[in-house]
Amino acid sequence: MQQRGTFQLMKSVNKSIILNKIRIAEPISRAQIAKETSLTPPTVSSIVKELLEEGLVRESQLGESSGGRKPTMLHINSGAFYVIGVDAGPETVEGVLTDLTGEILQRAKQKLEKPLNNEKFIDILKDNIRHNLAAPGIDQTKIIGIGIAMHGVVDVETGMSLVAPNLNLKNVPIKQELEKEFNIAIKVENDARAMALGESWFGGHGEADSMVAVNIGRGVGAGVVMNGKLYHGAQGIAGEFGHMTIDLNGSICECGNPGCLQTFVSGASIAERARSRMGEGAPSTGQEVYELAQEGHAASIKLLQETGRIIGIGLINLVHLINPRKIVLGGGVMKSEAFLMPAILETIRQRALTPKARQTSISVTRLGEDATLLGAVALLLVEMFDPI
Amino acid sequence: MQQRGTFQLMKSVNKSIILNKIRIAEPISRAQIAKETSLTPPTVSSIVKELLEEGLVRESQLGESSGGRKPTMLHINSGAFYVIGVDAGPETVEGVLTDLTGEILQRAKQKLEKPLNNEKFIDILKDNIRHNLAAPGIDQTKIIGIGIAMHGVVDVETGMSLVAPNLNLKNVPIKQELEKEFNIAIKVENDARAMALGESWFGGHGEADSMVAVNIGRGVGAGVVMNGKLYHGAQGIAGEFGHMTIDLNGSICECGNPGCLQTFVSGASIAERARSRMGEGAPSTGQEVYELAQEGHAASIKLLQETGRIIGIGLINLVHLINPRKIVLGGGVMKSEAFLMPAILETIRQRALTPKARQTSISVTRLGEDATLLGAVALLLVEMFDPI
DNA sequence: ATCCCATAGATAATAAATTAAATTAACTAA
DNA sequence: TTAGTTAATTTAATTTATTATCTATGGGAT
């Protein structure tokens, strides 16, 4: 049954409003919070008092007065708690320890030597996490949980990795194993979705009500964030952007269907098209295509521009269906941003059905590789900051 | 700023939970409501008391006892208020007067004689509405508002029809004009979206958390319903399903882009493909293709099956992106349900990325033409039943 | 029939949390 | 030094759900 109206609801709604206000607008005074949220000053004071007691928020020296008492500024108490985030990609496992503001305090990275099996993989995860758990100068009891951004298909409820194609693994009970080992909160999510959450929380997008982050690299994935939370859909598969059919007669994708967006714009697909067009001496990876383009190689530049056009077509489908306020692009392929973006933006401009559709903000992530790691961290922060 | 935690919030959340419970599960007793919503009996009693006083709910004779006092059953008091819904389509204006349960009490229908202009169109709307306002035996003061399902692009905020291609009208200030004339609440919405809402409220889908309704007829439109409310997206254009690119090299759509879904599956597109394939004596409308197929005409059957396959491809894109619990199909083209559905379902089965994706329920509307009209009605009911 | 128990619903007292109004605190300007 | 302004807290009033208790009513066992 749905969330009913109780005093706890009322309070936790307000608490979360205030906490998020502080997170997004710090430093900020109580009075300012009251103004901007239209909560009354006593409500703000009493909730802030609790937040101070819980250690989630701290006060700092007074701010500037504009003809009256100086305001006491409030901040997220970044050192009150810590979170571990792990990005388990197709080739490496990378982990970070961060504070509550997403500041990275320590990193750990390992290669995934193949062939793997479930036990080996879990062991590598554990090693990685142990390193960050034992960070010098950090009180272990202050670490509130571990978020895992896992490549492949994930069941969020059970925290199980169902299929991880590039690792050649199936049904890895990540959450179960890690909970047993570390006895701490564990969240597991698909990596593209985690990236979306990371972007939404730490990408400097303010309080955007809806955002889609698209990762274009080895594959193409997307995550949909609404009101600061991941949207999963009824069966938890929303955002499978890479396998959107955009060409009825396109070539067959690894998923078995013809004409998926991914068959045009993933790194491997770009390389493949280069091969089929340029023949002998063609670049053999997306990276090489990019390097050639940078050197002014006309065919490579054209290839990337075409790729941008097709990404644009995929995005306009997204705009017309989901109509998010922002779309953020990331992943290896987006390193060719300089060649892709003009074509992407032009395609969207051309194809938008209405002038309003053109208002969707399209940008490239400024977080780079860390978006996914920070997203893994945000999996825990969401619970802390938005406990409804 | 976002909805904050207040006493009104707490109460209206509970009121709406109870009212909707009664709407969906009537007849139902107070005790049963308490059980199913996990609200306490006194809370239920006190809110039900208010609803009885407001006339929104009525009691009926006692239900069956199972070893104790007989329960008093509660119902929506259908005759307490009335709503007018209008479907302003490309060729006709049809209006209904309904009670709170969507029971249609009276209808009015007019042809739209072309050429039209804004004044003529508004006059026809007014005439239509006047007829239903003056329904015999209905207390006019009990009519709470008028919902308009308008063909074309609508600005929901201002209640303005921005573009109505098949009527050749632009910038018709529907809400403004009707409010001036009738001095009553007016809601204006795009017709495909209204249909989605109607389907969600009156299609017998229970409390589906998310639903997409797709109208395939002259054009192809869709509406997305989440938690009983229409999802508009950031710029109010979410659900533009018909103009999803599914074929990079497809023919040019009326919107100017190549390969829109609509260019394959709208009524006119089906007829056009018939013409290009069957040559002399080909059916000239989608309707004729259907009639031929019914008579066993092989080429027509094949054409419809192919159309079904392409609809299926469009839908699987929808499933992978939005992942709604249900998809409901309607519109003129779906009259060929018998030939389309097997191909649609088979395509979805084939192309679904995961077994879960196959769990999306796909069905054809049972409301027929009335889905849009009832959706127009529901535009008002949403406010009454879900006032948050 | 009568007693006991179970279920439905109502009432009264209590608790949680917000809001409004008043108060205290602390600063700027002139 | 005083007036005016902004910040924050305190107190009382208000709203609404909850807990506990009670009344109403019916079925089944004896």
Side-chain angles (χ1 to χ4, degrees), chain B residues 35-269:
Chain B
K35 240 175 251 156
E36 293 183 23
T37 60
S38 61
L39 293 164
T40 58
T43 301
V44 174
S45 281
S46 105
I47 288 178
V48 165
K49 194 177 162 197
E50 272 186 42
L51 292 170
L52 287 168
E53 278 162 10
E54 290 167 14
L56 268 170
V57 164
R58 67 180 169 80
E59 293 182 326
S60 73
Q61 73 297 345
L62 308 179
E64 278 310 293
S65 159
S66 55
R69 172 174 169 177
K70 281 186 179 172
T72 315
M73 303 314 268
L74 301 168
H75 306 252
I76 295 300
N77 186 11
S78 55
F81 297 104
Y82 301 95
V83 184
I84 288 176
V86 180
D87 178 2
E91 270 150 23
T92 59
V93 167
E94 184 166 9
V96 290
L97 176 79
T98 78
D99 66 20
L100 284 185
T101 63
E103 187 75 25
I104 293 175
L105 306 173
Q106 183 174 292
R107 289 175 183 270
K109 188 167 182 174
Q110 282 135 294
K111 278 225 162 162
L112 286 169
E113 304 292 351
K114 296 167 193 174
L116 277 169
N117 60 38
N118 288 6
E119 287 70 34
K120 274 194 209 167
F121 175 70
I122 290 279
D123 281 342
I124 295 173
L125 272 186
K126 285 182 186 170
D127 279 350
N128 187 288
I129 291 166
R130 266 191 219 105
H131 178 258
N132 281 325
L133 271 174
I138 302 293
D139 178 358
Q140 271 207 37
T141 63
K142 286 185 167 180
I143 298 178
I144 57 170
I146 302 169
I148 314 280
M150 177 70 190
H151 147 78
V153 183
V154 170
D155 182 323
V156 178
E157 304 295 324
T158 60
M160 174 106 90
S161 161
L162 300 179
V163 192
N166 291 320
L167 300 175
N168 202 24
L169 296 179
K170 279 190 179 178
N171 300 321
V172 193
I174 299 179
K175 182 182 161 91
Q176 191 188 312
E177 289 294 323
L178 296 183
E179 266 175 354
K180 199 165 66 184
E181 176 79 14
F182 300 113
N183 195 27
I184 195 177
I186 310 283
K187 295 269 163 192
V188 187
E189 185 53 272
N190 161 269
D191 57 354
R193 275 208 274 264
M195 175 191 142
L197 192 64
E199 192 59 50
S200 151
W201 273 62
F202 299 113
H205 303 287
E207 304 180 67
D209 50 358
S210 56
M211 213 199 68
V212 175
V214 180
N215 189 301
I216 311 177
R218 186 177 283 262
V220 176
V224 181
V225 180
M226 290 193 182
N227 303 316
K229 288 181 181 166
L230 282 172
Y231 172 74
H232 287 97
Q235 281 93 18
I237 55 164
E240 275 298 348
F241 183 59
H243 299 286
M244 176 164 67
T245 302
I246 59 162
D247 192 18
L248 291 180
N249 305 302
S251 46
I252 302 295
C253 177
E254 60 183 36
C255 75
N257 296 329
C260 292
L261 178 64
Q262 186 163 315
T263 66
F264 290 92
V265 306
S266 73
S269 311

Side-chain angles (χ1 to χ4, degrees), chain A residues 292-315:
Chain A
L292 279 173
Q294 275 187 311
E295 292 162 15
H297 183 246
S300 294
I301 291 175
K302 191 166 169 231
L303 179 55
L304 287 178
Q305 285 170 339
E306 278 179 32
T307 305
R309 194 177 65 87
I310 293 176
I311 294 174
I313 291 172
L315 293 183

Side-chain angles (χ1 to χ4, degrees), chain A residues 83-89 93-95 121-122 124-126 128-129 145-151 154 156 159-161 172-176 178-179 182 185-195 230 372-380:
Chain A
V83 184
I84 289 176
V86 180
D87 177 2
V93 168
E94 184 165 9
F121 175 70
I122 291 279
I124 294 174
L125 272 186
K126 285 181 186 170
N128 187 287
I129 291 167
I146 302 168
I148 314 280
M150 177 70 191
H151 147 78
V154 170
V156 178
M160 173 106 89
S161 161
V172 192
I174 299 179
K175 180 182 161 91
Q176 191 188 312
L178 296 183
E179 266 174 355
F182 300 113
I186 310 284
K187 297 268 162 193
V188 186
E189 185 53 272
N190 160 271
D191 56 354
R193 276 209 273 265
M195 174 190 142
L230 281 172
T372 307
L373 276 163
L374 290 175
V377 167
L379 291 171
L380 275 295

Side-chain angles (χ1 to χ4, degrees), chain A residues 141-217:
Chain A
T141 64
K142 287 186 169 180
I143 298 178
I144 58 171
I146 302 168
I148 314 280
M150 177 70 191
H151 147 78
V153 183
V154 170
D155 182 324
V156 178
E157 305 296 324
T158 60
M160 173 106 89
S161 161
L162 300 178
V163 191
N166 291 320
L167 299 174
N168 203 23
L169 295 178
K170 280 191 180 178
N171 299 322
V172 192
I174 299 179
K175 180 182 161 91
Q176 191 188 312
E177 289 294 324
L178 296 183
E179 266 174 355
K180 200 165 64 183
E181 176 80 15
F182 300 113
N183 194 28
I184 195 177
I186 310 284
K187 297 268 162 193
V188 186
E189 185 53 272
N190 160 271
D191 56 354
R193 276 209 273 265
M195 174 190 142
L197 193 64
E199 192 58 49
S200 150
W201 273 61
F202 300 113
H205 304 285
E207 302 182 67
D209 50 357
S210 56
M211 212 199 70
V212 174
V214 179
N215 189 301
I216 310 176

